[in-house]
Amino acid sequence: MPLSEFTFGLGILDAIATSPGYRVVTNNFVYFLGGAWYTIFITALSIAMGMVLGLFAGLAKLSKNKIIYGLSTAYIDFFRGTPLFVQIFLLYFGVLPLIYDNDPLSSAIIALGLNSGAYIAEILRAGIQAIDKGQMEAARSLGMNERQAMIYVILPQAFKVVIPPLINEFIALLKDSSLVSAITVAELMHRGDLVFANTYQATWVFGTIAMMYLVITKTIALLGDYTERRLATE
Amino acid sequence: MPLSEFTFGLGILDAIATSPGYRVVTNNFVYFLGGAWYTIFITALSIAMGMVLGLFAGLAKLSKNKIIYGLSTAYIDFFRGTPLFVQIFLLYFGVLPLIYDNDPLSSAIIALGLNSGAYIAEILRAGIQAIDKGQMEAARSLGMNERQAMIYVILPQAFKVVIPPLINEFIALLKDSSLVSAITVAELMHRGDLVFANTYQATWVFGTIAMMYLVITKTIALLGDYTERRLATE
Amino acid sequence: GGQTDNSEQPDVATDVKKLLVGTNATFPPFEMQEDSELTGFDMDLIRAIGEVQGYEVEIQHMDFKALVPSVQNGKIDAAIAGMSITPERLESVDFTEAYFDAGLIVAVHKDNQDIQGTDDLKGKKLAAQNGTIGAAYCDEVKKADAATETRIFDDIGLAFMELEKGGVDAVVNDHPVTAYYLKTATDTSIKMVGDIFSAEDQYGIAVKKGNTELLNALNEGLIKIKENGTYDEIYSKWF
Amino acid sequence: MIKVVDVHKSFGKLHVLKGINFNVSPREVVCVIGPSGSGKSTLLRCINQLEQVNEGRIYIDGEELTHPKTDINAIRQQVGMVFQLFNLFPHKTTLQNITMAPIKIKGVDKEQAYEQARELLRKVGLMDKADVYPGNLSGGQKQRVAIARALAMQPKVMLFDEPTSALDPEMVGEVLAVMKDLATEGMTMVVVTHEMGFAREVGDRVVFMDEGLIVEEGLPAQIFDNPKNVRTQLFLSKVL
Amino acid sequence: MIKVVDVHKSFGKLHVLKGINFNVSPREVVCVIGPSGSGKSTLLRCINQLEQVNEGRIYIDGEELTHPKTDINAIRQQVGMVFQLFNLFPHKTTLQNITMAPIKIKGVDKEQAYEQARELLRKVGLMDKADVYPGNLSGGQKQRVAIARALAMQPKVMLFDEPTSALDPEMVGEVLAVMKDLATEGMTMVVVTHEMGFAREVGDRVVFMDEGLIVEEGLPAQIFDNPKNVRTQLFLSKVL
Ligand SMILES: Nc1ncnc2c1ncn2[C@@H]1O[C@H](COP(=O)(O)OP(=O)(O)OP(=O)(O)O)[C@@H](O)[C@H]1O
Ligand SMILES: Nc1ncnc2c1ncn2[C@@H]1O[C@H](COP(=O)(O)OP(=O)(O)OP(=O)(O)O)[C@@H](O)[C@H]1O
Ligand SMILES: [Mg+2]
Ligand SMILES: [Mg+2]
């Protein structure tokens, strides 16, 4: 009886389309997309900041200068070792107001950037250490100073080595960015919470949110694979 | 006027000791320590589960068998790609009740174990791939089968290589474990939330919590350094 | 954030000052979000107060945890989020006069015949929302009978889900919130039992400690809207 | 002892072995020489089944390796292999490198395995390096440990793939001396090597490979002093 | 050209160079030989300031390297170094490996640097490998690129640290040929090597080092055929 099966199938689709949860999701889909966009925006800027900080902190941790080493160790220990939400609070309410008239969005990005910088520092440090000492010596023997050797020879190679853990970190950061909802930044997870609180449609709402995260993280992972392949030289 | 400065210093200490926030912390210190213990306990079990899962998923991702590869990719993509909160939620309210009469604590450990397993899989896979192919060939040429070669030759070496990213992941997991407070597991952050909600002493309460996390994560990092040094053979 | 500095000039809305208010919109029907708009009893109330006191009210949603530090640091002028007034909290912030007597109610599974009211809660598994008087009440029950288990959720929605799942025997919560849930949730298997109790569950608006100026202005506004009937209008709109 | 019958091996489109026929008698030492890329390593790896042949058969001691039912791991225990880059296990000491396979695979008693390993270390002149990690050994020492490790499984045949080409000239001697001793004791050996002195002195037979084929074979003196094939002549002129 | 005066160098408690005195005239080719661990590499690395001496002075072209005020980077540009393990930059093509330093440090115009690099590639016989990554070159090809890379900075002196010891015997010839050409063109060179044939044929002088000291030096023929020192005799007997 293929026909009855067909109508049965339609029946299920119908049931879904008229279920309250489905309506909640369709009503809020654009709203969620806006949140996803916010999430991507915050994460991208935080990554940019985290990469710069992580690069300097990672290099500093390799320094023979005790003070520079100590400062970067303290930075890494603190931002890797305390809960992100505490860091967000500390920066938003405590530190940043002393510096400028801080708003939630910029504070969120600064907090996430500082946090990811600590993880990225350790990743980059491991990558730099993985590069054969002979590379630095070859560069120095050509007359490059230490900075030039770092920029032209060591870092490009280190960067390639650390793509997989960097991708891990970017994905973790994307999801950690949901914590900035504490200070009113309306990113994806936050919007999910709000809609859930008003509708109690947990499965539909969080299912949709989860799928959106999945799409974004998979995109990041694929970009990572692509970069890795593009940098392959063999 | 050293004396007056001294008494001034005492005055500050006095002011602290009698401040309501200080009292909240001292009253709840043992309660927080209990939460820290809970957090350590949950994290340790989740790590154990994550290591086992991660090992199998990491190996599966290196398999030439399309089905095994596909399953492990799906597992990693899902648990790395969706918010941990959603996973906790899905397992606690959706999946686990179908299997057993699930309680929050065991559900939390299962959720965190599944989540960290996905990250650990990628870390271990990278570590295994970093081991020279010659090692597998040498082991095989001595008559070991693939399993023996993995266990006795490849994995011990891979493990050593991946200690720093594993430590990163353990620390991240420790802090992510605070998300299980959503299903009322009384770990450290949850207890902080409860005390805060009753007293509104954000700085004192979360400052104390942050210090406790810092102590635990630093301990993990030092254990990692120690293991790394112990496994050094040169 | 905007701040009140001059002495109030009641009923004159020409001198518009900004009043930044924080809330946590996950507590219907007091505060919630509908179609990207913050609505609910508290929202209408604070807007009404603003109107009579000459404020341009701007409301921000944030984490419950962030409300108090925001008030203390001047990120916002006041917080209204169904916050119950307790002596402990008064050490950290100042509250206006109570604007709502919530009262608690017990909710159980439909099939549950054991629990008929507050007297039957001892030794049972109880759930409540963190920071509510319901949570405090659960703790009291536990103190009286150590066999009682309390489960404190950050989100009341999850507490209800736990009750539907059968993970707890009862949810003790502010009556209006539970009533709203029963009205909204589809296919719910939860019912309310017993009478509303615990009259000391009163909501206040929080301001920075020592900001008596704003406190007085808000209290004044509260009295005004009670007198001119606005309060009753809002009340009947939501309950 | 070893019988290679009409073996073909391709990597993708690259046809590397193009029909190799080749026998090794018990106690014989065969040296394989030939230009880079001619397939010498691939041949050894096929004999040890690290690569699967596409065509042809390989027998060791009468058993067909290339038969799908053969237990490869059991046969590999009979065939010791020494790699160009040693491939010692860096996380294990010298003694552990040598005893791992006997203990874990053969189930030899620990004490007995250690006893035997010390014997082997004496043989290769490394008694004092028993508890050292490979990272702290010189190249020549590493290669001698690799030989001891292969010998610990008491193989019937030893395969060597350029065992000295990664060594400094001074260390080459140490390794060749150990191999010479093995040959004297009657071990069956196949040695891919660039050490023409060794091939001439120790080899019972020299096989010259080029482009996936055995081009010429014979007694060392005959091949080195009187190569018949033009390609052999050309190769020897470059290397000697 | 190079003047090394009473140089001492220790690593921690290990006294590696124990008072080296040593001169190289312009256009001279000096070959340094000696057992492993005798300090040959350390000496070269001191000349290139990859290691700092503990005592003594080193001059290149009259400038004292060991003076704290000297701009090491400027001097290193005058001294080309070729390593045993090539140390090519794996993320850059052959052409980029050669042109990186001239462009980034000397500020040579891109087109001109490429032009010069192609010239150098012709010289070392690798015209067709300009756009290949090091990973796809053979050992001999890698070492020739490394030489071209050092030459691109137009150094006055070239230092070679066992440039052929990591190569297969067949590839050694390629590299030695390039070095021979360089010597013929009049490049000042210091070569640490185990290739006694090269030292004999190309070297103007041979220096034998042992345990951190220069034990014997002289014309190649004299050192190889008629070593005076016992240690030199012993060493040559093992290597030749
Ligand atoms: N796993 C592989 N995949 C693809 N091609 C391979 C593989 N192994 C070897 N080859 C190719 O097969 C050919 C023969 O390689 P083989 O290693 O057997 O040569 P060889 O005679 O040992 O040379 P050498 O003296 O340089 O070691 C070469 O062209 C090589 O590139
Ligand atoms: N960075 C270092 N730290 C400590 N010891 C070192 C270092 N570099 C070299 N040495 C030691 O100094 C000694 C001389 O080393 P060097 O590399 O100069 O010898 P070499 O003559 O080049 O030997 P080879 O022929 O093996 O290359 C050796 O004992 C070596 O272990
Ligand atoms: Mg080979
Ligand atoms: Mg050296």
Side-chain angles (χ1 to χ4, degrees):
Chain A
M1 312 273 121
L3 188 66
S4 80
E5 269 172 31
F6 181 69
T7 49
F8 175 69
L10 277 186
I12 288 183
L13 287 182
D14 235 43
I16 290 177
T18 55
S19 81
Y22 179 79
R23 262 183 293 118
V24 166
V25 167
T26 49
N27 285 347
N28 287 288
F29 201 76
V30 174
Y31 178 66
F32 289 158
L33 279 183
W37 166 243
Y38 237 105
T39 291
I40 293 169
F41 173 77
I42 294 169
T43 308
L45 286 187
S46 309
I47 285 176
M49 179 174 163
M51 286 293 284
V52 173
L53 278 173
L55 180 57
F56 283 106
L59 288 173
K61 207 161 176 193
L62 292 169
S63 165
K64 276 174 219 123
N65 182 318
K66 284 261 165 69
I67 296 173
I68 294 179
Y69 172 86
L71 282 176
S72 78
T73 304
Y75 163 67
I76 292 169
D77 280 355
F78 180 78
F79 281 97
R80 205 172 59 150
T82 55
L84 175 56
F85 119 79
V86 172
Q87 295 164 21
I88 294 171
F89 269 36
L90 187 68
L91 286 162
Y92 180 64
F93 292 118
V95 178
L96 295 180
L98 307 175
I99 304 168
Y100 72 108
D101 184 16
N102 66 318
D103 60 300
L105 182 61
S106 70
S107 308
I109 291 167
I110 290 172
L112 288 172
L114 280 164
N115 180 265
S116 66
Y119 286 88
I120 291 173
E122 285 289 284
I123 292 170
L124 289 181
R125 178 177 67 89
I128 291 169
Q129 283 177 320
I131 302 304
D132 188 78
K133 265 194 328 187
Q135 291 292 315
M136 175 56 91
E137 296 196 339
R140 298 303 302 274
S141 80
L142 286 168
M144 295 190 198
N145 59 36
E146 212 166 324
R147 209 177 48 87
Q148 290 170 321
M150 233 345 134
I151 293 173
Y152 299 124
V153 175
I154 307 298
L155 286 180
Q157 295 180 57
F159 179 69
K160 193 180 133 190
V161 176
V162 299
I163 291 177
L166 271 185
I167 293 298
N168 254 359
E169 170 57 23
F170 293 169
I171 288 176
L173 182 65
L174 181 95
K175 295 195 283 163
D176 283 348
S177 72
S178 69
L179 281 177
V180 306
S181 74
I183 53 173
T184 83
V185 178
E187 46 68 65
L188 181 53
M189 180 55 88
H190 176 75
R191 296 190 176 193
D193 286 343
L194 285 176
V195 172
F196 163 68
N198 191 30
T199 62
Y200 303 112
Q201 295 290 349
T203 312
W204 281 94
V205 170
F206 292 123
T208 307
I209 299 289
M211 286 308 118
M212 288 186 173
Y213 273 103
L214 196 56
V215 169
I216 306 172
T217 53
K218 189 71 194 172
T219 308
I220 296 177
L222 290 175
L223 280 177
D225 290 350
Y226 171 77
T227 314
E228 224 174 327
R229 253 178 293 123
R230 264 216 42 188
L231 291 180
T233 55
E234 267 165 64
Chain B
M1 314 275 123
L3 187 67
S4 79
E5 268 171 32
F6 181 69
T7 48
F8 173 70
L10 277 186
I12 287 183
L13 287 182
D14 236 42
I16 289 177
T18 55
S19 81
Y22 179 78
R23 264 183 292 117
V24 166
V25 168
T26 48
N27 286 345
N28 289 288
F29 201 74
V30 175
Y31 179 65
F32 289 157
L33 279 183
W37 167 245
Y38 236 101
T39 290
I40 294 169
F41 173 77
I42 294 168
T43 308
L45 287 189
S46 310
I47 285 175
M49 179 174 162
M51 286 293 283
V52 173
L53 278 173
L55 180 58
F56 283 104
L59 288 173
K61 207 161 174 190
L62 292 169
S63 164
K64 276 173 218 124
N65 182 319
K66 284 262 165 71
I67 295 172
I68 294 179
Y69 173 85
L71 282 175
S72 79
T73 305
Y75 162 68
I76 292 169
D77 280 356
F78 180 77
F79 280 97
R80 205 172 60 150
T82 56
L84 175 56
F85 162 74
V86 174
Q87 295 164 21
I88 292 169
F89 186 85
L90 184 71
L91 285 162
Y92 182 66
F93 289 114
V95 179
L96 294 180
L98 306 176
I99 303 170
Y100 72 109
D101 184 17
N102 66 319
D103 60 299
L105 181 61
S106 69
S107 308
I109 291 167
I110 291 172
L112 288 171
L114 280 164
N115 181 266
S116 65
Y119 285 89
I120 291 173
E122 285 289 282
I123 293 170
L124 290 181
R125 178 176 68 88
I128 291 169
Q129 283 178 320
I131 303 304
D132 189 78
K133 264 195 326 186
Q135 291 291 316
M136 176 56 92
E137 295 194 341
R140 298 304 301 274
S141 80
L142 287 168
M144 295 189 198
N145 60 34
E146 211 164 326
R147 210 176 48 87
Q148 290 170 321
M150 227 357 128
I151 293 174
Y152 300 124
V153 176
I154 307 298
L155 286 180
Q157 295 180 56
F159 179 68
K160 194 180 133 192
V161 176
V162 299
I163 291 176
L166 271 185
I167 292 298
N168 254 358
E169 170 57 23
F170 292 170
I171 289 176
L173 182 64
L174 182 95
K175 295 196 285 165
D176 284 348
S177 73
S178 70
L179 281 178
V180 305
S181 86
I183 51 172
T184 75
V185 177
E187 45 71 61
L188 183 51
M189 186 57 87
H190 187 65
R191 295 188 179 195
D193 286 345
L194 293 183
V195 172
F196 163 73
N198 285 335
T199 62
Y200 287 176
Q201 295 287 353
T203 312
W204 281 94
V205 169
F206 293 121
T208 307
I209 300 288
M211 286 307 117
M212 289 186 173
Y213 273 104
L214 194 55
V215 169
I216 306 173
T217 53
K218 188 71 192 170
T219 308
I220 296 177
L222 290 176
L223 279 178
D225 290 351
Y226 172 77
T227 313
E228 225 174 327
R229 254 178 293 122
R230 263 215 43 188
L231 291 180
T233 55
E234 267 165 64
Chain C
Q3 198 67 8
T4 52
D5 27 32
N6 298 322
S7 60
E8 291 307 317
Q9 303 214 314
D11 302 326
V12 183
T14 46
D15 177 20
V16 182
K17 296 150 291 180
K18 233 182 182 171
L19 185 69
L20 267 175
V21 181
T23 191
N24 177 249
T26 60
F27 199 58
F30 290 94
E31 37 264 329
M32 59 201 171
Q33 188 177 274
E34 260 174 357
D35 304 326
S36 308
E37 289 292 323
L38 294 170
T39 62
F41 177 85
D42 285 357
M43 303 296 98
D44 287 352
L45 182 84
I46 193 69
R47 286 187 183 117
I49 292 176
E51 200 165 317
V52 296
Q53 293 298 89
Y55 290 110
E56 185 190 317
V57 175
E58 187 184 322
I59 310 177
Q60 285 180 359
H61 159 90
M62 63 187 71
D63 203 281
F64 195 79
K65 262 189 252 186
L67 283 175
V68 173
S70 293
V71 167
Q72 289 170 333
N73 284 264
K75 292 279 178 200
I76 53 177
D77 301 315
I80 183 165
M83 296 163 104
S84 301
I85 304 165
T86 71
E88 265 181 311
R89 291 170 176 179
L90 282 167
E91 307 242 36
S92 301
V93 291
D94 285 343
F95 281 108
T96 59
E97 298 300 321
Y99 66 83
F100 195 89
D101 293 323
L104 298 174
I105 193 75
V106 175
V108 298
H109 201 270
K110 269 185 183 139
D111 308 332
N112 188 326
Q113 304 302 330
D114 278 5
I115 301 175
Q116 300 294 345
T118 51
D119 298 339
D120 306 323
L121 293 177
K122 278 184 196 139
K124 297 293 194 310
K125 284 191 199 165
L126 310 179
Q129 183 182 11
N130 189 21
T132 62
I133 295 294
Y137 185 83
C138 289
D139 278 340
E140 293 296 316
V141 176
K142 188 186 167 80
K143 255 178 222 153
D145 181 349
T148 314
E149 228 182 88
T150 60
R151 301 266 311 278
I152 309 301
F153 288 85
D154 289 339
D155 194 318
I156 191 63
L158 293 184
F160 287 132
M161 283 187 71
E162 184 74 341
L163 184 58
E164 307 253 14
K165 171 181 181 278
V168 291
D169 301 317
V171 168
V172 182
N173 195 40
D174 295 336
H175 172 261
V177 177
T178 303
Y180 185 83
Y181 174 77
L182 292 181
K183 208 172 81 187
T184 313
T186 44
D187 306 330
T188 179
S189 49
I190 294 176
K191 63 177 180 187
M192 294 192 275
V193 292
D195 300 324
I196 297 172
F197 62 102
S198 187
E200 74 270 26
D201 185 6
Q202 295 183 317
Y203 297 166
I205 303 169
V207 302
K208 186 175 182 169
K209 229 174 158 29
N211 190 355
T212 39
E213 222 166 321
L214 179 59
L215 198 63
N216 292 338
L218 292 176
N219 277 332
E220 215 173 275
L222 197 54
I223 293 168
K224 277 188 204 158
I225 61 166
K226 279 190 176 165
E227 281 171 355
N228 70 14
T230 316
Y231 183 93
D232 293 333
E233 261 172 49
I234 298 173
Y235 189 91
S236 50
K237 174 178 169 193
W238 294 103
F239 304 105
Chain D
M1 190 82 208
I2 306 178
K3 202 165 138 197
V4 176
V5 183
D6 206 28
V7 158
H8 285 258
K9 170 72 191 171
S10 302
F11 294 108
K13 280 186 298 188
L14 192 68
H15 201 170
V16 175
L17 299 182
K18 301 174 180 167
I20 299 278
N21 287 287
F22 172 69
N23 285 299
V24 182
S25 317
R27 307 175 72 84
E28 196 182 15
V29 177
V30 175
C31 292
V32 180
I33 63 174
S36 185
S38 56
K40 307 182 297 293
S41 297
T42 306
L43 175 58
L44 276 203
R45 295 164 60 83
C46 285
I47 294 178
N48 200 17
Q49 288 290 293
L50 287 175
E51 304 284 357
Q52 301 221 320
V53 306
N54 298 112
E55 252 179 71
R57 276 154 297 140
I58 299 176
Y59 302 86
I60 288 194
D61 236 4
E63 270 198 272
E64 185 186 342
L65 298 190
T66 38
H67 196 282
K69 290 244 172 81
T70 312
D71 175 3
I72 301 296
N73 294 319
I75 292 196
R76 281 209 189 104
Q77 298 177 26
Q78 320 252 355
V79 183
M81 178 122 181
V82 176
F83 298 87
Q84 183 178 11
L85 294 176
F86 333 129
N87 295 350
L88 293 181
F89 304 138
H91 61 305
K92 297 287 178 188
T93 64
T94 295
L95 209 64
Q96 290 167 339
N97 261 278
I98 298 175
T99 54
M100 183 193 279
I103 294 173
K104 301 287 185 193
I105 308 176
K106 273 199 179 168
V108 174
D109 172 72
K110 246 187 176 175
E111 270 320 303
Q112 195 187 329
Y114 283 169
E115 194 43 55
Q116 188 209 358
R118 286 205 197 84
E119 184 95 358
L120 284 167
L121 280 177
R122 192 163 18 241
K123 197 161 164 179
V124 300
L126 289 173
M127 270 304 279
D128 51 330
K129 300 290 183 188
D131 297 321
V132 170
Y133 285 97
N136 298 327
L137 296 174
S138 79
Q141 292 168 339
K142 279 187 196 146
Q143 194 60 295
R144 284 184 280 158
V145 173
I147 294 173
R149 181 177 66 177
L151 289 175
M153 292 297 281
Q154 303 180 304
K156 296 186 184 149
V157 184
M158 289 281 283
L159 309 176
F160 293 85
D161 192 1
E162 308 199 20
T164 61
S165 69
L167 301 179
D168 269 357
E170 281 174 280
M171 294 168 184
V172 170
E174 304 169 354
V175 174
L176 292 182
V178 170
M179 290 171 64
K180 242 183 253 184
D181 285 351
L182 267 186
T184 319
E185 287 169 18
M187 175 64 79
T188 310
M189 290 160 65
V190 180
V191 185
V192 173
T193 184
H194 286 289
E195 294 294 329
M196 299 307 162
F198 177 83
R200 187 190 283 268
E201 194 181 328
V202 182
D204 295 312
R205 190 149 44 98
V206 171
V207 171
F208 175 69
M209 279 183 69
D210 195 15
E211 301 199 346
L213 284 171
I214 293 182
V215 172
E216 190 167 356
E217 61 181 309
L219 295 176
Q222 177 190 327
I223 300 277
F224 287 126
D225 302 333
N226 220 343
K228 294 204 183 68
N229 189 295
V230 196
R231 281 189 281 175
T232 319
Q233 290 163 10
L234 187 72
F235 175 74
L236 290 173
S237 76
K238 279 206 296 186
V239 173
L240 285 181
Chain E
M1 191 81 209
I2 305 179
K3 202 166 137 196
V4 176
V5 183
D6 206 29
V7 158
H8 285 258
K9 170 72 191 172
S10 302
F11 294 109
K13 282 187 298 189
L14 191 69
H15 201 170
V16 176
L17 298 182
K18 302 174 180 167
I20 298 278
N21 288 286
F22 171 71
N23 285 298
V24 183
S25 318
R27 308 177 71 86
E28 197 182 12
V29 178
V30 175
C31 293
V32 181
I33 63 173
S36 185
S38 57
K40 308 180 297 292
S41 297
T42 306
L43 176 59
L44 277 203
R45 294 165 60 82
C46 285
I47 295 178
N48 200 18
Q49 289 290 293
L50 287 175
E51 305 284 356
Q52 301 223 318
V53 307
N54 297 112
E55 251 181 70
R57 277 153 296 139
I58 299 176
Y59 302 85
I60 289 193
D61 236 5
E63 269 198 273
E64 185 186 341
L65 297 191
T66 39
H67 196 281
K69 289 246 173 78
T70 312
D71 175 3
I72 301 296
N73 293 319
I75 291 197
R76 281 210 188 103
Q77 296 177 27
Q78 318 252 356
V79 183
M81 177 124 180
V82 176
F83 299 86
Q84 182 178 10
L85 294 177
F86 332 130
N87 294 351
L88 293 181
F89 305 138
H91 61 305
K92 297 287 178 188
T93 63
T94 296
L95 208 64
Q96 291 166 339
N97 260 281
I98 298 175
T99 54
M100 182 193 279
I103 294 174
K104 301 286 185 193
I105 308 176
K106 274 199 179 168
V108 173
D109 172 72
K110 246 188 178 175
E111 270 320 302
Q112 196 186 329
Y114 284 170
E115 193 43 53
Q116 189 209 357
R118 285 204 198 84
E119 184 94 1
L120 285 167
L121 281 177
R122 194 163 18 241
K123 198 161 162 177
V124 300
L126 289 174
M127 270 304 279
D128 51 331
K129 299 290 182 187
D131 297 321
V132 170
Y133 285 98
N136 298 327
L137 296 175
S138 79
Q141 292 168 339
K142 279 187 195 144
Q143 195 59 295
R144 285 184 279 159
V145 174
I147 295 173
R149 181 177 67 176
L151 289 175
M153 292 297 280
Q154 303 179 307
K156 296 185 184 149
V157 185
M158 288 282 283
L159 309 176
F160 293 85
D161 192 1
E162 307 198 21
T164 61
S165 68
L167 301 179
D168 268 356
E170 283 173 278
M171 294 169 184
V172 170
E174 303 170 355
V175 174
L176 292 182
V178 170
M179 290 171 65
K180 241 183 255 184
D181 285 351
L182 268 186
T184 319
E185 288 168 18
M187 175 64 78
T188 310
M189 289 160 64
V190 181
V191 185
V192 173
T193 184
H194 285 289
E195 295 294 330
M196 300 307 164
F198 176 84
R200 186 190 285 268
E201 193 181 330
V202 182
D204 296 312
R205 192 150 43 98
V206 170
V207 171
F208 175 68
M209 280 183 70
D210 194 15
E211 301 199 346
L213 284 170
I214 293 181
V215 172
E216 189 167 358
E217 61 180 308
L219 295 176
Q222 178 189 327
I223 300 276
F224 288 127
D225 303 332
N226 220 342
K228 295 205 183 68
N229 189 294
V230 197
R231 281 188 281 174
T232 321
Q233 289 163 12
L234 187 72
F235 176 73
L236 290 173
S237 76
K238 279 205 297 184
V239 172
L240 284 181

